Amino acid sequence: MSKFQLIVISIFIVFIIGGVIAFARFKGQDSSTQLPAITVWGTFPADTFDQYVNKINNTYSQQLRVTYV
């Protein structure tokens, strides 16, 4: 491994560790904000997908808005 490759790999490792630390410390906004609407494209029946979304919405306090195409 050349000296240049070692330096480049070291820089990437530092950025990866910094990114992990930054995301780990991020607390986000308060829980009163709504989740964004999601559009999912798929090949199985929409009724099956809607059943899973309804189970998720019954479990959590924030409602997940999903459009299945």
Side-chain angles (χ1 to χ4, degrees):
M1 187 180 287
S2 72
K3 196 174 198 178
F4 176 75
Q5 288 174 328
L6 187 61
I7 291 171
V8 170
I9 290 172
S10 299
I11 291 172
F12 277 115
I13 290 173
V14 168
F15 280 124
I16 290 170
I17 292 172
V20 168
I21 291 171
F23 280 111
R25 298 190 70 191
F26 180 71
K27 301 227 188 304
Q29 298 176 2
D30 63 279
S31 62
S32 66
T33 59
Q34 290 186 355
L35 296 173
I38 300 172
T39 301
V40 178
W41 290 59
T43 58
F44 53 90
D47 295 337
T48 306
F49 189 80
D50 289 339
Q51 289 175 355
Y52 289 111
V53 172
N54 288 335
K55 285 182 184 178
I56 292 171
N57 284 337
N58 290 335
T59 305
Y60 297 104
S61 61
Q62 290 187 349
Q63 295 296 304
L64 185 62
R65 294 172 293 156
V66 180
T67 304
Y68 184 76
V69 179

Short mmCIF file of all heavy atoms in Angstrom, two decimals:
data_model
loop_
_atom_site.label_atom_id
_atom_site.label_comp_id
_atom_site.label_asym_id
_atom_site.label_seq_id
_atom_site.Cartn_x
_atom_site.Cartn_y
_atom_site.Cartn_z
N MET A 1 0.86 -1.17 0.00
CA MET A 1 0.00 0.00 0.00
C MET A 1 0.90 1.23 0.00
O MET A 1 1.80 1.36 0.83
CB MET A 1 -0.91 -0.03 1.23
CG MET A 1 -1.94 1.05 1.22
SD MET A 1 -3.03 1.06 2.65
CE MET A 1 -4.06 -0.34 2.32
N SER A 2 0.61 2.14 -0.90
CA SER A 2 1.44 3.35 -1.00
C SER A 2 1.05 4.34 0.08
O SER A 2 0.01 4.24 0.75
CB SER A 2 1.27 3.98 -2.38
OG SER A 2 0.00 4.58 -2.48
N LYS A 3 1.93 5.33 0.25
CA LYS A 3 1.70 6.36 1.26
C LYS A 3 0.43 7.16 0.94
O LYS A 3 -0.34 7.50 1.82
CB LYS A 3 2.92 7.27 1.30
CG LYS A 3 3.03 8.13 2.50
CD LYS A 3 4.36 8.86 2.48
CE LYS A 3 4.69 9.37 3.85
NZ LYS A 3 5.99 10.04 3.89
N PHE A 4 0.22 7.46 -0.36
CA PHE A 4 -0.96 8.20 -0.78
C PHE A 4 -2.25 7.43 -0.44
O PHE A 4 -3.20 8.01 0.07
CB PHE A 4 -0.89 8.47 -2.29
CG PHE A 4 -2.12 9.15 -2.83
CD1 PHE A 4 -2.34 10.49 -2.59
CD2 PHE A 4 -3.06 8.43 -3.56
CE1 PHE A 4 -3.48 11.12 -3.09
CE2 PHE A 4 -4.18 9.05 -4.05
CZ PHE A 4 -4.40 10.39 -3.82
N GLN A 5 -2.28 6.14 -0.74
CA GLN A 5 -3.45 5.32 -0.43
C GLN A 5 -3.73 5.30 1.07
O GLN A 5 -4.88 5.38 1.50
CB GLN A 5 -3.26 3.89 -0.93
CG GLN A 5 -3.33 3.76 -2.42
CD GLN A 5 -3.00 2.36 -2.88
OE1 GLN A 5 -2.20 1.67 -2.26
NE2 GLN A 5 -3.61 1.94 -4.00
N LEU A 6 -2.69 5.21 1.86
CA LEU A 6 -2.85 5.20 3.32
C LEU A 6 -3.44 6.51 3.82
O LEU A 6 -4.33 6.52 4.68
CB LEU A 6 -1.49 4.93 3.97
CG LEU A 6 -1.49 4.73 5.47
CD1 LEU A 6 -2.34 3.51 5.83
CD2 LEU A 6 -0.08 4.54 5.98
N ILE A 7 -2.99 7.62 3.26
CA ILE A 7 -3.51 8.94 3.66
C ILE A 7 -4.98 9.08 3.26
O ILE A 7 -5.81 9.54 4.06
CB ILE A 7 -2.65 10.07 3.06
CG1 ILE A 7 -1.26 10.07 3.71
CG2 ILE A 7 -3.33 11.42 3.24
CD1 ILE A 7 -0.27 10.99 3.05
N VAL A 8 -5.32 8.69 2.03
CA VAL A 8 -6.70 8.80 1.56
C VAL A 8 -7.63 7.92 2.39
O VAL A 8 -8.71 8.35 2.82
CB VAL A 8 -6.80 8.46 0.06
CG1 VAL A 8 -8.24 8.33 -0.38
CG2 VAL A 8 -6.08 9.50 -0.77
N ILE A 9 -7.22 6.71 2.66
CA ILE A 9 -8.04 5.80 3.48
C ILE A 9 -8.21 6.36 4.89
O ILE A 9 -9.30 6.31 5.47
CB ILE A 9 -7.43 4.39 3.49
CG1 ILE A 9 -7.59 3.75 2.12
CG2 ILE A 9 -8.07 3.52 4.57
CD1 ILE A 9 -6.86 2.43 1.96
N SER A 10 -7.15 6.93 5.44
CA SER A 10 -7.23 7.52 6.79
C SER A 10 -8.21 8.68 6.82
O SER A 10 -8.99 8.82 7.77
CB SER A 10 -5.85 8.00 7.24
OG SER A 10 -4.94 6.93 7.30
N ILE A 11 -8.18 9.51 5.78
CA ILE A 11 -9.11 10.65 5.72
C ILE A 11 -10.56 10.14 5.65
O ILE A 11 -11.44 10.66 6.34
CB ILE A 11 -8.77 11.56 4.52
CG1 ILE A 11 -7.45 12.27 4.77
CG2 ILE A 11 -9.89 12.55 4.25
CD1 ILE A 11 -6.92 13.04 3.59
N PHE A 12 -10.82 9.13 4.82
CA PHE A 12 -12.17 8.58 4.73
C PHE A 12 -12.62 7.98 6.07
O PHE A 12 -13.77 8.15 6.47
CB PHE A 12 -12.26 7.52 3.64
CG PHE A 12 -12.46 8.10 2.27
CD1 PHE A 12 -11.49 7.95 1.30
CD2 PHE A 12 -13.61 8.81 1.95
CE1 PHE A 12 -11.67 8.49 0.04
CE2 PHE A 12 -13.80 9.34 0.70
CZ PHE A 12 -12.82 9.19 -0.27
N ILE A 13 -11.74 7.32 6.76
CA ILE A 13 -12.09 6.74 8.06
C ILE A 13 -12.44 7.83 9.06
O ILE A 13 -13.41 7.72 9.81
CB ILE A 13 -10.94 5.84 8.58
CG1 ILE A 13 -10.85 4.58 7.73
CG2 ILE A 13 -11.13 5.50 10.05
CD1 ILE A 13 -9.67 3.70 8.03
N VAL A 14 -11.69 8.93 9.04
CA VAL A 14 -11.99 10.05 9.94
C VAL A 14 -13.36 10.64 9.62
O VAL A 14 -14.16 10.92 10.52
CB VAL A 14 -10.88 11.13 9.85
CG1 VAL A 14 -11.31 12.42 10.53
CG2 VAL A 14 -9.59 10.61 10.45
N PHE A 15 -13.68 10.81 8.32
CA PHE A 15 -15.00 11.33 7.94
C PHE A 15 -16.12 10.38 8.32
O PHE A 15 -17.19 10.80 8.76
CB PHE A 15 -15.05 11.64 6.45
CG PHE A 15 -14.42 12.95 6.07
CD1 PHE A 15 -13.41 12.99 5.13
CD2 PHE A 15 -14.81 14.13 6.68
CE1 PHE A 15 -12.82 14.20 4.78
CE2 PHE A 15 -14.23 15.34 6.34
CZ PHE A 15 -13.22 15.37 5.39
N ILE A 16 -15.90 9.09 8.17
CA ILE A 16 -16.93 8.11 8.54
C ILE A 16 -17.18 8.15 10.04
O ILE A 16 -18.34 8.19 10.48
CB ILE A 16 -16.52 6.70 8.08
CG1 ILE A 16 -16.60 6.60 6.56
CG2 ILE A 16 -17.38 5.63 8.74
CD1 ILE A 16 -15.99 5.33 5.99
N ILE A 17 -16.13 8.19 10.83
CA ILE A 17 -16.29 8.25 12.28
C ILE A 17 -16.97 9.55 12.69
O ILE A 17 -17.87 9.57 13.54
CB ILE A 17 -14.93 8.09 12.98
CG1 ILE A 17 -14.42 6.66 12.78
CG2 ILE A 17 -15.02 8.43 14.47
CD1 ILE A 17 -13.00 6.43 13.26
N GLY A 18 -16.60 10.66 12.04
CA GLY A 18 -17.23 11.95 12.33
C GLY A 18 -18.71 11.94 11.98
O GLY A 18 -19.54 12.47 12.72
N GLY A 19 -19.06 11.31 10.85
CA GLY A 19 -20.47 11.21 10.46
C GLY A 19 -21.27 10.38 11.43
O GLY A 19 -22.40 10.73 11.79
N VAL A 20 -20.71 9.27 11.88
CA VAL A 20 -21.42 8.43 12.84
C VAL A 20 -21.63 9.18 14.14
O VAL A 20 -22.73 9.14 14.73
CB VAL A 20 -20.63 7.11 13.08
CG1 VAL A 20 -21.18 6.36 14.27
CG2 VAL A 20 -20.65 6.25 11.85
N ILE A 21 -20.63 9.90 14.60
CA ILE A 21 -20.78 10.68 15.83
C ILE A 21 -21.82 11.78 15.67
O ILE A 21 -22.66 12.00 16.54
CB ILE A 21 -19.42 11.26 16.27
CG1 ILE A 21 -18.49 10.14 16.73
CG2 ILE A 21 -19.58 12.30 17.36
CD1 ILE A 21 -17.06 10.56 16.97
N ALA A 22 -21.81 12.46 14.52
CA ALA A 22 -22.77 13.54 14.28
C ALA A 22 -24.20 13.01 14.28
O ALA A 22 -25.10 13.61 14.88
CB ALA A 22 -22.45 14.24 12.96
N PHE A 23 -24.44 11.88 13.60
CA PHE A 23 -25.79 11.32 13.56
C PHE A 23 -26.20 10.74 14.90
O PHE A 23 -27.38 10.77 15.26
CB PHE A 23 -25.91 10.26 12.47
CG PHE A 23 -26.10 10.84 11.11
CD1 PHE A 23 -25.12 10.75 10.16
CD2 PHE A 23 -27.27 11.50 10.78
CE1 PHE A 23 -25.27 11.28 8.90
CE2 PHE A 23 -27.46 12.05 9.52
CZ PHE A 23 -26.45 11.95 8.58
N ALA A 24 -25.27 10.23 15.67
CA ALA A 24 -25.59 9.68 16.98
C ALA A 24 -25.99 10.77 17.96
O ALA A 24 -26.83 10.56 18.84
CB ALA A 24 -24.41 8.90 17.53
N ARG A 25 -25.43 11.95 17.80
CA ARG A 25 -25.72 13.04 18.73
C ARG A 25 -26.92 13.87 18.30
O ARG A 25 -27.45 14.67 19.07
CB ARG A 25 -24.51 13.95 18.85
CG ARG A 25 -23.31 13.18 19.43
CD ARG A 25 -22.22 14.06 19.79
NE ARG A 25 -22.66 14.84 20.94
CZ ARG A 25 -22.02 15.89 21.42
NH1 ARG A 25 -20.93 16.28 20.85
NH2 ARG A 25 -22.48 16.54 22.45
N PHE A 26 -27.40 13.69 17.08
CA PHE A 26 -28.52 14.46 16.56
C PHE A 26 -29.80 14.02 17.26
O PHE A 26 -30.16 12.86 17.25
CB PHE A 26 -28.65 14.26 15.05
CG PHE A 26 -29.80 15.02 14.45
CD1 PHE A 26 -29.75 16.39 14.34
CD2 PHE A 26 -30.92 14.36 13.99
CE1 PHE A 26 -30.80 17.09 13.79
CE2 PHE A 26 -31.97 15.06 13.43
CZ PHE A 26 -31.91 16.42 13.33
N LYS A 27 -30.49 14.95 17.87
CA LYS A 27 -31.69 14.64 18.62
C LYS A 27 -32.96 14.86 17.82
O LYS A 27 -34.00 14.36 18.15
CB LYS A 27 -31.74 15.48 19.89
CG LYS A 27 -30.54 15.26 20.77
CD LYS A 27 -30.96 15.07 22.18
CE LYS A 27 -29.83 15.04 23.15
NZ LYS A 27 -28.81 14.10 22.96
N GLY A 28 -32.88 15.65 16.77
CA GLY A 28 -34.07 15.91 15.96
C GLY A 28 -34.94 16.97 16.60
O GLY A 28 -34.64 17.53 17.65
N GLN A 29 -36.06 17.21 15.96
CA GLN A 29 -37.00 18.19 16.47
C GLN A 29 -37.98 17.51 17.42
O GLN A 29 -37.95 16.29 17.59
CB GLN A 29 -37.73 18.83 15.30
CG GLN A 29 -36.77 19.57 14.38
CD GLN A 29 -37.48 20.13 13.17
OE1 GLN A 29 -38.68 20.00 13.03
NE2 GLN A 29 -36.73 20.74 12.28
N ASP A 30 -38.85 18.30 18.00
CA ASP A 30 -39.80 17.73 18.96
C ASP A 30 -40.73 16.73 18.26
O ASP A 30 -40.88 16.73 17.06
CB ASP A 30 -40.61 18.84 19.64
CG ASP A 30 -41.44 19.61 18.66
OD1 ASP A 30 -40.89 20.50 18.00
OD2 ASP A 30 -42.64 19.31 18.57
N SER A 31 -41.36 15.89 19.05
CA SER A 31 -42.16 14.79 18.50
C SER A 31 -43.50 15.24 17.93
O SER A 31 -44.24 14.42 17.41
CB SER A 31 -42.38 13.73 19.58
OG SER A 31 -43.11 14.29 20.65
N SER A 32 -43.84 16.52 18.01
CA SER A 32 -45.13 16.97 17.51
C SER A 32 -45.12 17.15 15.99
O SER A 32 -46.17 17.36 15.40
CB SER A 32 -45.53 18.28 18.18
OG SER A 32 -44.63 19.31 17.81
N THR A 33 -43.96 17.11 15.36
CA THR A 33 -43.92 17.24 13.91
C THR A 33 -44.45 15.97 13.26
O THR A 33 -44.27 14.88 13.78
CB THR A 33 -42.49 17.51 13.41
OG1 THR A 33 -41.65 16.44 13.82
CG2 THR A 33 -41.95 18.81 13.96
N GLN A 34 -45.08 16.13 12.11
CA GLN A 34 -45.67 14.98 11.42
C GLN A 34 -44.63 14.31 10.53
O GLN A 34 -43.71 14.94 10.03
CB GLN A 34 -46.85 15.43 10.58
CG GLN A 34 -48.04 15.85 11.38
CD GLN A 34 -49.23 16.14 10.47
OE1 GLN A 34 -49.11 16.11 9.26
NE2 GLN A 34 -50.36 16.41 11.06
N LEU A 35 -44.83 13.04 10.34
CA LEU A 35 -43.98 12.29 9.42
C LEU A 35 -44.35 12.67 7.99
O LEU A 35 -45.51 12.95 7.69
CB LEU A 35 -44.18 10.79 9.63
CG LEU A 35 -43.78 10.24 10.98
CD1 LEU A 35 -44.20 8.78 11.09
CD2 LEU A 35 -42.29 10.36 11.17
N PRO A 36 -43.38 12.67 7.08
CA PRO A 36 -43.71 13.01 5.69
C PRO A 36 -44.50 11.89 5.03
O PRO A 36 -44.43 10.73 5.44
CB PRO A 36 -42.33 13.16 5.04
CG PRO A 36 -41.43 12.33 5.89
CD PRO A 36 -41.97 12.42 7.28
N ALA A 37 -45.25 12.24 4.02
CA ALA A 37 -46.01 11.24 3.25
C ALA A 37 -45.03 10.46 2.37
O ALA A 37 -44.06 11.01 1.86
CB ALA A 37 -47.06 11.92 2.38
N ILE A 38 -45.30 9.17 2.21
CA ILE A 38 -44.42 8.29 1.45
C ILE A 38 -45.22 7.66 0.32
O ILE A 38 -46.37 7.26 0.51
CB ILE A 38 -43.87 7.18 2.36
CG1 ILE A 38 -43.08 7.78 3.51
CG2 ILE A 38 -43.01 6.22 1.57
CD1 ILE A 38 -42.68 6.77 4.56
N THR A 39 -44.60 7.55 -0.86
CA THR A 39 -45.19 6.83 -1.98
C THR A 39 -44.33 5.60 -2.25
O THR A 39 -43.12 5.73 -2.44
CB THR A 39 -45.26 7.70 -3.24
OG1 THR A 39 -46.05 8.86 -2.94
CG2 THR A 39 -45.89 6.95 -4.39
N VAL A 40 -44.95 4.43 -2.25
CA VAL A 40 -44.24 3.17 -2.48
C VAL A 40 -44.78 2.53 -3.75
O VAL A 40 -45.99 2.42 -3.91
CB VAL A 40 -44.43 2.22 -1.28
CG1 VAL A 40 -43.74 0.89 -1.53
CG2 VAL A 40 -43.92 2.85 0.00
N TRP A 41 -43.88 2.12 -4.61
CA TRP A 41 -44.26 1.41 -5.83
C TRP A 41 -43.95 -0.05 -5.62
O TRP A 41 -42.90 -0.42 -5.12
CB TRP A 41 -43.46 1.94 -7.02
CG TRP A 41 -43.84 3.32 -7.43
CD1 TRP A 41 -43.79 4.44 -6.66
CD2 TRP A 41 -44.34 3.74 -8.68
NE1 TRP A 41 -44.22 5.53 -7.35
CE2 TRP A 41 -44.57 5.12 -8.61
CE3 TRP A 41 -44.62 3.07 -9.86
CZ2 TRP A 41 -45.05 5.85 -9.67
CZ3 TRP A 41 -45.11 3.81 -10.92
CH2 TRP A 41 -45.33 5.19 -10.83
N GLY A 42 -44.89 -0.93 -5.99
CA GLY A 42 -44.67 -2.35 -5.78
C GLY A 42 -45.49 -3.21 -6.71
O GLY A 42 -46.24 -2.72 -7.54
N THR A 43 -45.34 -4.53 -6.52
CA THR A 43 -46.00 -5.48 -7.41
C THR A 43 -47.05 -6.33 -6.72
O THR A 43 -47.77 -7.06 -7.39
CB THR A 43 -44.96 -6.42 -8.04
OG1 THR A 43 -44.25 -7.09 -6.99
CG2 THR A 43 -43.99 -5.64 -8.90
N PHE A 44 -47.13 -6.29 -5.39
CA PHE A 44 -48.15 -7.11 -4.73
C PHE A 44 -49.40 -6.29 -4.47
O PHE A 44 -49.38 -5.07 -4.58
CB PHE A 44 -47.61 -7.78 -3.46
CG PHE A 44 -46.97 -6.86 -2.47
CD1 PHE A 44 -47.73 -6.27 -1.46
CD2 PHE A 44 -45.61 -6.61 -2.50
CE1 PHE A 44 -47.15 -5.43 -0.54
CE2 PHE A 44 -45.02 -5.76 -1.58
CZ PHE A 44 -45.79 -5.17 -0.60
N PRO A 45 -50.53 -6.94 -4.13
CA PRO A 45 -51.81 -6.23 -3.99
C PRO A 45 -51.76 -5.11 -2.94
O PRO A 45 -51.13 -5.25 -1.89
CB PRO A 45 -52.78 -7.33 -3.57
CG PRO A 45 -52.15 -8.60 -3.97
CD PRO A 45 -50.68 -8.38 -3.92
N ALA A 46 -52.45 -4.02 -3.26
CA ALA A 46 -52.46 -2.87 -2.35
C ALA A 46 -53.12 -3.21 -1.02
O ALA A 46 -52.75 -2.65 0.02
CB ALA A 46 -53.18 -1.69 -3.00
N ASP A 47 -54.10 -4.12 -1.02
CA ASP A 47 -54.78 -4.49 0.23
C ASP A 47 -53.80 -5.10 1.23
O ASP A 47 -53.86 -4.81 2.42
CB ASP A 47 -55.91 -5.49 -0.05
CG ASP A 47 -57.02 -4.89 -0.90
OD1 ASP A 47 -57.14 -3.64 -0.89
OD2 ASP A 47 -57.75 -5.65 -1.54
N THR A 48 -52.90 -5.93 0.75
CA THR A 48 -51.89 -6.54 1.62
C THR A 48 -50.99 -5.49 2.22
O THR A 48 -50.70 -5.50 3.42
CB THR A 48 -51.05 -7.56 0.83
OG1 THR A 48 -51.92 -8.50 0.20
CG2 THR A 48 -50.06 -8.28 1.71
N PHE A 49 -50.55 -4.55 1.40
CA PHE A 49 -49.68 -3.48 1.88
C PHE A 49 -50.41 -2.60 2.90
O PHE A 49 -49.84 -2.22 3.93
CB PHE A 49 -49.20 -2.64 0.70
CG PHE A 49 -48.13 -1.66 1.06
CD1 PHE A 49 -46.82 -2.05 1.20
CD2 PHE A 49 -48.46 -0.33 1.28
CE1 PHE A 49 -45.85 -1.15 1.54
CE2 PHE A 49 -47.49 0.58 1.62
CZ PHE A 49 -46.18 0.17 1.75
N ASP A 50 -51.67 -2.28 2.63
CA ASP A 50 -52.46 -1.45 3.54
C ASP A 50 -52.63 -2.11 4.91
O ASP A 50 -52.67 -1.43 5.93
CB ASP A 50 -53.83 -1.14 2.93
CG ASP A 50 -53.73 -0.17 1.76
OD1 ASP A 50 -52.71 0.55 1.67
OD2 ASP A 50 -54.66 -0.16 0.94
N GLN A 51 -52.73 -3.42 4.95
CA GLN A 51 -52.85 -4.13 6.23
C GLN A 51 -51.62 -3.88 7.09
O GLN A 51 -51.74 -3.63 8.30
CB GLN A 51 -53.04 -5.63 6.01
CG GLN A 51 -54.37 -6.02 5.44
CD GLN A 51 -54.44 -7.51 5.12
OE1 GLN A 51 -53.46 -8.23 5.25
NE2 GLN A 51 -55.62 -7.96 4.71
N TYR A 52 -50.44 -3.95 6.49
CA TYR A 52 -49.21 -3.72 7.25
C TYR A 52 -49.10 -2.27 7.72
O TYR A 52 -48.68 -2.00 8.84
CB TYR A 52 -47.99 -4.10 6.42
CG TYR A 52 -47.85 -5.59 6.25
CD1 TYR A 52 -48.04 -6.18 5.01
CD2 TYR A 52 -47.55 -6.41 7.33
CE1 TYR A 52 -47.93 -7.54 4.84
CE2 TYR A 52 -47.44 -7.77 7.17
CZ TYR A 52 -47.63 -8.34 5.94
OH TYR A 52 -47.51 -9.68 5.79
N VAL A 53 -49.49 -1.33 6.86
CA VAL A 53 -49.46 0.09 7.25
C VAL A 53 -50.43 0.33 8.40
O VAL A 53 -50.13 1.05 9.35
CB VAL A 53 -49.76 0.99 6.05
CG1 VAL A 53 -49.92 2.44 6.48
CG2 VAL A 53 -48.67 0.86 5.00
N ASN A 54 -51.61 -0.28 8.37
CA ASN A 54 -52.58 -0.12 9.44
C ASN A 54 -52.06 -0.68 10.76
O ASN A 54 -52.28 -0.11 11.82
CB ASN A 54 -53.91 -0.77 9.07
CG ASN A 54 -54.64 0.01 8.00
OD1 ASN A 54 -54.44 1.21 7.86
ND2 ASN A 54 -55.47 -0.68 7.23
N LYS A 55 -51.35 -1.81 10.70
CA LYS A 55 -50.75 -2.37 11.91
C LYS A 55 -49.72 -1.42 12.50
O LYS A 55 -49.65 -1.23 13.72
CB LYS A 55 -50.09 -3.72 11.61
CG LYS A 55 -51.06 -4.84 11.43
CD LYS A 55 -50.33 -6.16 11.18
CE LYS A 55 -51.31 -7.28 10.90
NZ LYS A 55 -50.62 -8.56 10.62
N ILE A 56 -48.92 -0.81 11.64
CA ILE A 56 -47.93 0.16 12.11
C ILE A 56 -48.62 1.37 12.73
O ILE A 56 -48.24 1.84 13.79
CB ILE A 56 -47.00 0.59 10.96
CG1 ILE A 56 -46.14 -0.59 10.53
CG2 ILE A 56 -46.14 1.78 11.34
CD1 ILE A 56 -45.35 -0.34 9.25
N ASN A 57 -49.67 1.88 12.07
CA ASN A 57 -50.38 3.05 12.58
C ASN A 57 -51.08 2.77 13.90
O ASN A 57 -51.26 3.66 14.73
CB ASN A 57 -51.37 3.57 11.54
CG ASN A 57 -50.68 4.31 10.43
OD1 ASN A 57 -49.56 4.81 10.59
ND2 ASN A 57 -51.31 4.38 9.28
N ASN A 58 -51.51 1.53 14.13
CA ASN A 58 -52.14 1.17 15.40
C ASN A 58 -51.12 1.05 16.52
O ASN A 58 -51.46 1.18 17.69
CB ASN A 58 -52.92 -0.14 15.26
CG ASN A 58 -54.15 0.02 14.40
OD1 ASN A 58 -54.69 1.11 14.27
ND2 ASN A 58 -54.59 -1.08 13.81
N THR A 59 -49.87 0.81 16.18
CA THR A 59 -48.82 0.62 17.18
C THR A 59 -48.22 1.94 17.65
O THR A 59 -47.94 2.11 18.82
CB THR A 59 -47.70 -0.28 16.59
OG1 THR A 59 -48.28 -1.49 16.13
CG2 THR A 59 -46.65 -0.58 17.63
N TYR A 60 -48.02 2.88 16.74
CA TYR A 60 -47.33 4.13 17.07
C TYR A 60 -48.30 5.31 17.13
O TYR A 60 -49.34 5.30 16.50
CB TYR A 60 -46.24 4.42 16.03
CG TYR A 60 -45.17 3.36 16.03
CD1 TYR A 60 -45.11 2.40 15.02
CD2 TYR A 60 -44.21 3.31 17.04
CE1 TYR A 60 -44.13 1.42 15.03
CE2 TYR A 60 -43.24 2.33 17.05
CZ TYR A 60 -43.20 1.39 16.05
OH TYR A 60 -42.25 0.43 16.06
N SER A 61 -47.90 6.33 17.86
CA SER A 61 -48.78 7.49 18.03
C SER A 61 -48.84 8.36 16.78
O SER A 61 -49.88 8.92 16.47
CB SER A 61 -48.31 8.33 19.22
OG SER A 61 -46.99 8.81 18.99
N GLN A 62 -47.72 8.49 16.05
CA GLN A 62 -47.72 9.27 14.82
C GLN A 62 -48.22 8.39 13.67
O GLN A 62 -47.81 7.24 13.54
CB GLN A 62 -46.34 9.79 14.51
CG GLN A 62 -45.89 10.88 15.45
CD GLN A 62 -44.58 11.49 14.98
OE1 GLN A 62 -43.93 10.98 14.09
NE2 GLN A 62 -44.20 12.57 15.60
N GLN A 63 -49.08 8.94 12.84
CA GLN A 63 -49.65 8.19 11.74
C GLN A 63 -48.71 8.25 10.53
O GLN A 63 -48.24 9.31 10.15
CB GLN A 63 -51.02 8.74 11.35
CG GLN A 63 -52.06 8.58 12.44
CD GLN A 63 -52.35 7.12 12.72
OE1 GLN A 63 -52.71 6.38 11.83
NE2 GLN A 63 -52.18 6.71 13.96
N LEU A 64 -48.48 7.11 9.93
CA LEU A 64 -47.67 6.98 8.73
C LEU A 64 -48.59 7.09 7.53
O LEU A 64 -49.55 6.33 7.40
CB LEU A 64 -46.96 5.63 8.75
CG LEU A 64 -45.97 5.32 7.65
CD1 LEU A 64 -44.81 6.32 7.71
CD2 LEU A 64 -45.45 3.91 7.80
N ARG A 65 -48.34 8.07 6.66
CA ARG A 65 -49.16 8.27 5.47
C ARG A 65 -48.43 7.67 4.27
O ARG A 65 -47.43 8.19 3.84
CB ARG A 65 -49.42 9.75 5.25
CG ARG A 65 -50.28 10.35 6.37
CD ARG A 65 -50.37 11.84 6.24
NE ARG A 65 -49.01 12.37 6.50
CZ ARG A 65 -48.56 13.51 6.06
NH1 ARG A 65 -49.33 14.29 5.35
NH2 ARG A 65 -47.34 13.92 6.34
N VAL A 66 -48.97 6.55 3.77
CA VAL A 66 -48.33 5.84 2.67
C VAL A 66 -49.31 5.69 1.51
O VAL A 66 -50.45 5.28 1.71
CB VAL A 66 -47.85 4.44 3.12
CG1 VAL A 66 -47.19 3.71 1.97
CG2 VAL A 66 -46.90 4.55 4.29
N THR A 67 -48.86 6.03 0.31
CA THR A 67 -49.62 5.80 -0.90
C THR A 67 -48.93 4.67 -1.65
O THR A 67 -47.75 4.77 -1.96
CB THR A 67 -49.65 7.07 -1.78
OG1 THR A 67 -50.15 8.15 -1.01
CG2 THR A 67 -50.49 6.85 -3.01
N TYR A 68 -49.67 3.62 -1.91
CA TYR A 68 -49.10 2.45 -2.61
C TYR A 68 -49.56 2.45 -4.06
O TYR A 68 -50.75 2.51 -4.34
CB TYR A 68 -49.51 1.16 -1.91
CG TYR A 68 -48.89 -0.07 -2.54
CD1 TYR A 68 -47.57 -0.36 -2.29
CD2 TYR A 68 -49.62 -0.91 -3.36
CE1 TYR A 68 -46.98 -1.47 -2.85
CE2 TYR A 68 -49.04 -2.02 -3.94
CZ TYR A 68 -47.71 -2.30 -3.69
OH TYR A 68 -47.14 -3.40 -4.25
N VAL A 69 -48.61 2.42 -4.97
CA VAL A 69 -48.91 2.43 -6.40
C VAL A 69 -48.46 1.13 -6.99
O VAL A 69 -47.36 0.69 -6.77
CB VAL A 69 -48.19 3.60 -7.10
CG1 VAL A 69 -48.49 3.60 -8.58
CG2 VAL A 69 -48.59 4.90 -6.48
#
